[in-house]
Amino acid sequence: MSEDLLIVGGGAIGCAIAWEMAGEGWKVRLLDRQKPGAEASWAAAGMLSPSAEAPHLPPLVPLARAALDLYPGFVEQLESIAGIHTDFERQGSLVVFFGGRANHTQGEFLAALARAGLDGEPLTGEEARRREPSLNPEVAAAVWFAEEASVDPRALGRALRAAAERRGVAIEAGAEVFRALIERGRCRGVATAAGEISAARVVIAAGCYSAAIEGVARYAPTRPVRGQMAALDGGAARPRTMIRSERGYLVPRPDGRVFAGSTLENAGFDKSVTAGGLRKILNGAAEIAPSLENAVILETWAGLRPDSPDHLPILGPTEIENLSIATGHYRDGILLAPITARLARAWLLGQPPEVSLDPFSPFRFASPAP
Ligand code: GLY
């Protein structure tokens, strides 16, 4: 029997949509090219920070704010269904500035945020250190975001898969989709190595691999952007808030680890951790919080962010009937998972979206279908 909905991609986005639509009573099947949740969602730092991209990507702000507002209810429901704790924590974040131009850079940052519709609390270096004693004494100015939060992305992925399965979603690993089956302007399913799979609706949520699916690239010309990460044993003097600087960021986890990130690299689909990448991350980490110079390195890894040509997500129906896209979340897939699921529900049920989809239209890169 054909599914109501076939989702291609088992990361946070695909699983959140699957969970949402199974909650509507839809029969949902989810395919992942390898192990669900083992790509960008697994590699993420888990920062839920609308301010992080706001200065460069203002259209993202309404989406990011709506996502952060949804998060407490989203994880509460998820955790109660899945029985898995996701370590959601609203520890707040600091953006810190160094050097003689720190006040000027702080002012520019606040102005860019205001233009994007966000605000933060300006702090002197001393005020920032009172809030976060691990900070480098050379931090000369900062901005504080009390509402920002973090989650354990790997736990979130496990919880999403478990919750989706509890609602009857069939999740399949090792099912690589090569092509969307399109006939006379209508999508009737997908082609995999194991054969064709029919579905009434298809949503592509395959992250940076979306563009490799025939029939999809014109809407989702995604590309991978590598991010390397390190988990450090922060010790007693570790940071308690998230901290970002021009050279990196730190995300403290409740278990005492501190995630340090990251690089932005065009390395194709290569997920290697490199000496240069680690050096950059560790220098950035120790500059923010000098005690981390002595931290033990617990783990290093790299992931591939799903970038789009304008760095904004690609969300919504295409002009191919029954084919829609939810990818290109770039640096914010974990943050945007709950709002993406809600928006997908709206477009799949033919309801108005709660946040305008216009800036994220799958048509913005495509010439009309032949
Ligand atoms: N969102 C953090 C990163 O992309 O590195």
Side-chain angles (χ1 to χ4, degrees), residues 267-340:
F269 291 89
D270 178 355
K271 286 188 274 183
S272 304
V273 174
T274 66
L278 273 188
R279 187 181 57 219
K280 181 177 175 298
I281 293 167
L282 298 176
N283 283 346
E287 184 186 55
I288 293 171
S291 71
L292 293 179
E293 197 75 62
N294 299 315
V296 173
I297 299 174
L298 301 172
E299 187 189 350
T300 61
W301 67 94
L304 303 175
R305 302 178 186 87
D307 195 13
S308 74
D310 58 9
H311 312 299
L312 292 172
I314 307 166
L315 303 174
T318 66
E319 80 268 52
I320 306 293
E321 204 182 326
N322 303 331
L323 177 68
S324 56
I325 311 286
T327 188
H329 292 76
Y330 191 37
R331 304 189 67 175
D332 290 294
I334 299 295
L335 169 62
L336 298 176
I339 187 69
T340 301

Side-chain angles (χ1 to χ4, degrees), residues 94 123-135 241:
L94 280 167
L123 302 179
T124 63
E126 223 174 275
E127 288 166 340
R129 266 183 301 284
R130 272 203 293 277
R131 190 169 281 291
E132 178 49 74
S134 72
L135 277 186
T241 63

